[in-house]
Amino acid sequence: MSREEELALIIIGLNIKNNTNYPQNVNLMGNNSNLLDTANANREFRWDFTTFVFTDEFSVSLQYKPNGAASFSIYTAELQSQTLEAIVISLNLLGIGYFTLYNELGNTYIGTYNDNYEFGQLVISGSSLVNYIITEDFRFISTESGELLITE
Amino acid sequence: MIFNANIINHTLPAVSVNSDSNVTYAQIKNSLGQQVYKAEEFYLYSTNFSQLIGVINYNIYDVSGNQNITNIVTTTDPYQVVSSVFVDLTQREKPIILNGNSNFSTTILPNTYLQFQLYNRRITNSFGMNLFNFKELEKITKTNFFNNYGHPIEEIQAVNNEIMQSISKEKALPINTDTDITKSIKENDNKIVYGLLSFIAISSLYVLYKIKD
């Protein structure tokens, strides 16, 4: 019998139930700092996208803060395409819980469940990020007065 | 365009997770790190057959924060009737360790119940595996920190042998004492015998002397 076989057999059993009408991502058996584990959270934050139509929006930003924090932080991400699914993908890159797109009673929502974090306004806007194409080697120099000079 | 959040407090959580023992799910999570498990097998049971077919992602982070993702594909036999599946994890290239820096993620289908059982062996956090890094640091800083830190196992065993031998010698001492006692008893017995013999000899000489008179 190997050393490992002598060690105690431990069975961990979990009963998991999705109580919603749409699929839910779960993240289990991590530590308490695992922000993706929102199991047993009752508080839902959702944003109504029923009447929203894309025009030239390529950026999403979201206010978030831990419970009781004085002010919101803002998370910003670019959209890979002009779809609601792309918004969900970008929001899930935040790493706090899971965001889901779903329909309920004829309305379209993006929602997330979280008891530890609060979410505020969600803003869909034009691209806030600028794409730079670097054609030559440049050097950034900060002067004593705080200016940033770009030299070749 | 700005969207304000609607906050709704539901009576039921979106996903409820409960332990099937007296220990709660929160307590299990809190124990991870202190208790380290190596998962050997999964058991999945669901009322929804489709839930058993899919992927369970196992994510583990090392001390540097690097993430390693293992996709565990679960599938059912086309002829099976029972809505459960066992997944063997022992043949995997990398072990499935639950130490607090790892987790499982998957998708639960709408209104679906899933029983998720993990068969684990309790293992320990390895100590000493990372000492190599300190050893390198010691070389660079020339601190000799690990001088007299410990001994190789063979040396320890050799020292143990010496100790065992000395103990057995000490134990042998009372036996020698017993031997001395028996020896001394025998010596005392001889003295009595000699005394008796000499007394008999003297008394017999006296008797002979009296008869002669």
Side-chain angles (χ1 to χ4, degrees):
Chain A
M1 185 181 280
S2 70
R3 179 81 186 93
E4 219 162 67
E5 286 171 332
E6 291 170 10
L7 296 169
L9 177 70
I10 309 287
I11 301 170
I12 297 173
L14 299 176
N15 297 318
I16 305 163
K17 176 82 194 292
N18 178 0
N19 297 308
T20 63
N21 295 321
Y22 46 93
Q24 290 282 354
N25 292 318
V26 290
N27 195 299
L28 303 169
M29 298 299 287
N31 57 37
N32 284 329
S33 308
N34 182 11
L35 301 179
L36 289 173
D37 189 352
T38 55
N40 300 319
N42 290 64
R43 187 173 58 177
E44 184 190 11
F45 297 86
R46 71 179 185 187
W47 298 266
D48 191 346
F49 279 80
T50 310
T51 56
F52 177 70
V53 179
F54 276 100
T55 50
D56 60 346
E57 292 85 358
F58 276 100
S59 171
V60 59
S61 61
L62 176 66
Q63 293 179 326
Y64 69 96
K65 66 174 183 179
N67 283 344
S71 59
F72 281 106
S73 300
I74 295 175
Y75 164 76
T76 305
E78 267 192 291
L79 301 177
Q80 297 302 313
S81 63
Q82 288 189 317
T83 58
L84 294 178
E85 287 81 5
I87 295 173
V88 172
I89 291 167
S90 296
L91 290 174
N92 278 329
L93 293 174
L94 174 62
I96 303 174
Y98 290 104
F99 292 81
T100 318
L101 177 68
Y102 66 95
N103 291 299
E104 189 180 85
L105 302 172
N107 289 337
T108 305
Y109 298 100
I110 289 177
T112 184
Y113 280 72
N114 209 310
D115 282 348
N116 300 318
Y117 272 77
E118 294 175 33
F119 298 94
Q121 287 181 338
L122 192 150
V123 180
I124 308 293
S125 58
S127 179
S128 64
L129 304 174
V130 181
N131 291 321
Y132 293 97
I133 300 169
I134 298 170
T135 54
E136 292 180 51
D137 290 336
F138 290 98
R139 193 176 292 171
F140 292 86
I141 301 167
S142 82
T143 61
E144 289 180 359
S145 60
E147 293 174 350
L148 193 68
L149 297 178
I150 303 171
T151 60
E152 285 189 34
Chain B
M1 189 170 181
I2 298 170
F3 299 87
N4 289 313
N6 297 321
I7 304 168
I8 304 162
N9 288 305
H10 295 276
T11 50
L12 282 175
V15 180
S16 58
V17 179
N18 298 304
S19 166
D20 62 1
S21 65
N22 294 331
V23 184
T24 64
Y25 173 58
Q27 286 172 327
I28 292 170
K29 281 203 300 180
N30 282 327
S31 74
L32 292 172
Q34 292 293 323
Q35 306 289 334
V36 183
Y37 304 105
K38 181 187 172 193
E40 294 188 337
E41 200 167 28
F42 279 157
Y43 168 77
L44 302 174
Y45 166 79
S46 178
T47 46
N48 186 347
F49 209 85
S50 302
Q51 182 63 56
L52 303 176
I53 304 163
V55 178
I56 294 174
N57 296 309
Y58 166 71
N59 313 299
I60 188 164
Y61 298 85
D62 64 13
V63 287
S64 306
N66 299 314
Q67 188 182 17
N68 190 296
I69 303 172
T70 305
N71 296 318
I72 302 164
V73 180
T74 59
T75 186
T76 54
D77 191 293
Y79 297 101
Q80 86 174 64
V81 180
V82 183
S83 182
S84 63
V85 65
F86 279 98
V87 182
D88 183 20
L89 303 172
T90 55
Q91 303 302 318
R92 297 203 154 262
E93 191 182 340
K94 289 183 179 174
I96 307 297
I97 305 293
L98 299 171
N99 60 1
N101 290 325
S102 58
N103 57 61
F104 294 107
S105 61
T106 190
T107 303
I108 309 294
L109 298 176
N111 297 310
T112 297
Y113 166 77
L114 174 68
Q115 190 180 358
F116 180 71
Q117 283 198 332
L118 277 164
Y119 294 83
N120 310 290
R121 295 282 173 189
R122 184 178 290 167
I123 58 173
T124 55
N125 279 315
S126 64
F127 175 70
M129 294 297 284
N130 302 322
L131 289 182
F132 182 75
N133 296 334
F134 290 102
K135 194 77 183 166
E136 289 295 311
L137 200 67
E138 186 193 39
K139 276 184 194 170
I140 295 163
T141 55
K142 296 177 182 173
T143 48
N144 293 327
F145 180 78
F146 284 98
N147 269 7
N148 298 321
Y149 182 77
H151 298 278
I153 290 168
E154 289 125 12
E155 285 181 22
I156 293 166
Q157 285 172 338
V159 172
N160 279 348
N161 283 340
E162 285 176 19
I163 293 167
M164 287 301 290
Q165 282 166 7
S166 65
I167 289 168
S168 62
K169 277 176 190 170
E170 283 170 13
K171 277 185 180 172
L173 280 173
I175 298 164
N176 291 336
T177 315
D178 289 344
T179 318
D180 290 342
I181 290 165
T182 47
K183 200 187 280 178
S184 65
I185 290 167
K186 279 177 186 174
E187 280 172 5
N188 288 336
D189 287 348
N190 289 340
K191 282 176 187 173
I192 292 164
V193 170
Y194 292 141
L196 282 170
L197 285 171
S198 57
F199 176 74
I200 291 164
I202 291 164
S203 55
S204 58
L205 284 171
Y206 178 77
V207 170
L208 285 169
Y209 177 75
K210 283 286 178 185
I211 293 166
K212 213 177 187 180
D213 287 343

